[in-house]
Amino acid sequence: RLLGPYTLANAAHVTMQVRTWTARLSVPRQRHVPLLRYRNPSLGVPRQLYTGVHALRKSTRAYTRNDVGSKAGQPSDSDPDVGFSEGCPIDCDPDGYSSGLVRGSRLKYNDPQSLPLRRRGFLQWEPGRPSNVLIVKKPRNEAATEKLRDIATWLQKRGINVYVERPVHATEFSDLKCFQKSSRTDIDLCITLGGDGTVLFLASLFDEDEPLPPVMSFAMGSLGFLTPFDASHFESHLSRVLEADNNPLFCTLRTRMQCEVRAHGRIQAVHTVLNEVVVDRGAVPNSALLEIFIDGNYVTTVDADGLIIATPSGSTAYSMSAGGSLIAPSVPCTIITPIAPLSLSFRPIVIPESSTITVHLPHYARSHARASFDGKNALRLRKDSSITVSTSRNPLPMINLGNLDSDWYEGITSKLKWNLSLRPVPHLPPPRSVASMEQASMDGDNRPYSQLRPTPREP
């Protein structure tokens, strides 16, 4: 009863059904794409809707008789990729409008149905995977180099091919396979040895908007909100990951953003970021004047040192330093944070990840601006140019140590020292009696009473 016998096109991403099903990741079956089942099945429906009767937007894929079962739109128990929850409070008709959510009305979603609004799930390997692993380490770090050698040896003993990036292959590990852009579709699993910067560098190696392999991050940096695994126990952690075909892993789909730089109506560059895109004044002493449009609607003009557009993963980075909110990685949203705005009324805002943001540098601005993407690829933003930011259709799958967002909560409580004092708690000295202070004066201590300090207590 979901969509009857209709077969919809563009099944590039997550199966979006308005029933309370646990969806599956319906990406084209590439070698490195494991099966994924969402952890929160009854949530994640789009929130913006149409009312009335319109033509069906053919942007998602529905189950049909030829797809999974004998009944149209009904999943079969033999399909291993799909899990289901009981009950279906929403009834859809072939036009895409549903009843049951709003009394007396039928609704159809207006959000882009190609975006997976749910972010937490279970990860399970397809048969024979993983067979190719890419390891990226923190540069110029001897401890990371030794750990890479240990992990590579451990994986090779189990018949797994190990890849490293080109500079590491040329200078340190010529016996391992060299990772190239052409071989990125062969990678089944990525491992990082470092901090959050190492994870960002790894994400930049997969800058195309295509399905990414899952990432396992070992903490070997100074600060890391993306690195939950302890490198000293890599054998037990990796053994658990390799057994995910029988015992699924916790996984969070980390939002990525696609940034298009336009000048005079033409695309000049395209960058994909995991944390944030920053537009600031650069080396110019004047503040940057930036116009903000969301979904084509003018919102405000920012007169500030700059502007940060961040993902939930980036909420603990530059955006946090500029006063932005901390957002759990499973929340499908985008954070817009001004940097030292001249107008104190402009505060950080959180908008849906399905919205498209355009930052325009008007022709009447006092000077040019500068843009950077995850702290790299800085470029000059000339007058009358713009940056359009939208959510990538393919997020970065991060393997979690704990369930749901427990890794994130552990990270902010330990790294930000929540519930801990940054300095010893001060204590008032014990009071001294008047007689003791008079005795000190008789003994030759001529200091005024206000300067007399108590003698330390015996331990």
Side-chain angles (χ1 to χ4, degrees):
R1 294 204 24 154
L2 181 63
L3 288 175
Y6 294 88
T7 302
L8 305 185
N10 300 328
H13 310 286
V14 173
T15 303
M16 275 297 181
Q17 302 159 318
V18 292
R19 301 191 64 170
T20 56
W21 291 355
T22 305
R24 70 173 177 180
L25 195 67
S26 57
V27 295
R29 288 299 180 88
Q30 298 189 23
R31 294 188 59 194
H32 62 263
V33 180
L35 304 180
L36 184 142
R37 183 163 64 90
Y38 286 110
R39 182 74 175 93
N40 41 346
S42 61
L43 303 178
V45 294
R47 296 302 184 201
Q48 298 177 357
L49 311 119
Y50 283 123
T51 60
V53 178
H54 296 284
L56 177 63
R57 238 174 103 186
K58 298 184 178 181
S59 59
T60 58
R61 172 178 179 267
Y63 288 108
T64 66
R65 291 184 178 89
N66 297 328
D67 242 351
V68 293
S70 58
K71 295 182 180 180
Q74 296 291 340
S76 66
D77 296 336
S78 60
D79 188 354
D81 298 353
V82 186
F84 304 94
S85 61
E86 297 296 331
C88 180
I90 306 171
D91 185 19
C92 286
D93 60 17
D95 292 328
Y97 287 85
S98 60
S99 60
L101 281 177
V102 181
R103 183 179 301 169
S105 298
R106 296 164 60 243
L107 304 172
K108 185 174 76 171
Y109 293 111
N110 188 20
D111 282 308
Q113 299 184 24
S114 59
L115 294 178
L117 297 183
R118 285 176 285 183
R119 287 288 182 251
R120 301 180 292 191
F122 294 110
L123 202 68
Q124 187 178 40
W125 296 115
E126 290 183 341
R129 305 292 180 263
S131 58
N132 299 299
V133 176
L134 169 64
I135 303 179
V136 176
K137 73 177 186 69
K138 184 178 181 179
R140 298 179 298 277
N141 186 289
E142 191 63 31
T145 300
E146 292 300 322
K147 193 62 63 176
L148 190 154
R149 192 183 313 277
D150 295 340
I151 293 177
T153 303
W154 190 89
L155 291 173
Q156 287 176 330
K157 290 180 179 179
R158 286 153 180 82
I160 297 176
N161 299 319
V162 179
Y163 289 76
V164 293
E165 52 184 311
R166 185 188 298 271
V168 177
H169 178 269
T171 59
E172 299 178 85
F173 294 93
S174 58
D175 55 323
L176 302 179
K177 292 182 177 294
C178 181
F179 173 78
Q180 300 179 4
K181 286 286 186 179
S182 58
S183 61
R184 66 178 183 271
T185 57
D186 297 330
I187 302 300
D188 304 316
L189 172 66
C190 296
I191 297 174
T192 64
L193 303 173
D196 287 354
T198 308
V199 179
L200 294 178
F201 175 77
L202 169 68
S204 67
L205 299 178
F206 298 87
D207 54 355
E208 299 292 334
D209 195 3
E210 59 186 10
L212 275 68
V215 178
M216 183 180 187
S217 301
F218 288 97
M220 298 192 70
S222 56
L223 183 65
F225 295 95
L226 303 175
T227 54
F229 292 94
D230 185 0
S232 60
H233 302 96
F234 75 88
E235 297 96 341
S236 59
H237 292 315
L238 282 175
S239 297
R240 170 70 179 87
V241 169
L242 297 183
E243 295 173 356
D245 51 346
N246 298 319
N247 190 9
L249 301 166
F250 299 120
C251 174
T252 298
L253 301 179
R254 296 269 181 167
T255 302
R256 297 195 305 164
M257 297 187 302
Q258 193 170 30
C259 309
E260 296 181 351
V261 182
R262 297 176 180 269
H264 307 292
R266 297 181 178 180
I267 297 179
Q268 303 295 319
V270 178
H271 298 281
T272 303
V273 298
L274 179 62
N275 265 8
E276 75 274 311
V277 52
V278 179
V279 182
D280 58 24
R281 59 188 177 90
V284 180
N286 299 323
S287 59
L289 192 66
L290 304 171
E291 298 174 343
I292 300 179
F293 297 83
I294 299 179
D295 293 330
N297 301 313
Y298 170 75
V299 176
T300 187
T301 298
V302 183
D303 197 356
D305 283 354
L307 187 73
I308 304 170
I309 302 176
T311 65
S313 299
S315 68
T316 53
Y318 196 178
S319 176
M320 179 180 65
S321 301
S325 300
L326 299 181
I327 307 293
S330 60
V331 179
C333 67
T334 303
I335 307 104
I336 302 178
T337 306
I339 306 173
L342 298 185
S343 174
L344 298 180
S345 62
F346 183 28
R347 313 308 302 163
I349 60 175
V350 179
I351 65 173
E353 72 166 14
S354 57
S355 295
T356 300
I357 306 167
T358 300
V359 180
H360 178 245
L361 184 67
H363 64 86
Y364 54 85
R366 289 182 289 270
S367 60
H368 301 297
R370 179 183 62 183
S372 60
F373 308 88
D374 276 346
K376 303 183 293 294
N377 303 315
L379 56 85
R380 190 179 189 185
L381 199 64
R382 299 183 178 276
K383 295 180 180 180
D384 206 23
S385 57
S386 63
I387 296 180
T388 301
V389 182
S390 59
T391 300
S392 298
R393 297 185 177 183
N394 295 279
L396 180 68
M398 296 288 296
I399 298 175
N400 296 337
L401 181 61
N403 191 13
L404 300 177
D405 291 328
S406 59
D407 289 359
W408 185 77
Y409 292 116
E410 174 65 25
I412 61 175
T413 54
S414 60
K415 304 298 192 305
L416 300 182
K417 306 298 181 183
W418 282 17
N419 305 321
L420 296 176
S421 177
L422 298 179
R423 56 179 60 89
V425 179
H427 297 281
L428 290 174
R432 297 187 65 180
S433 64
V434 176
S436 64
M437 288 187 283
E438 290 179 349
Q439 182 64 37
S441 178
M442 294 174 59
D443 292 340
D445 193 344
N446 297 321
R447 292 178 297 167
Y449 288 166
S450 60
Q451 296 182 7
L452 291 176
R453 299 184 62 83
T455 56
R457 289 183 174 182
E458 290 295 330

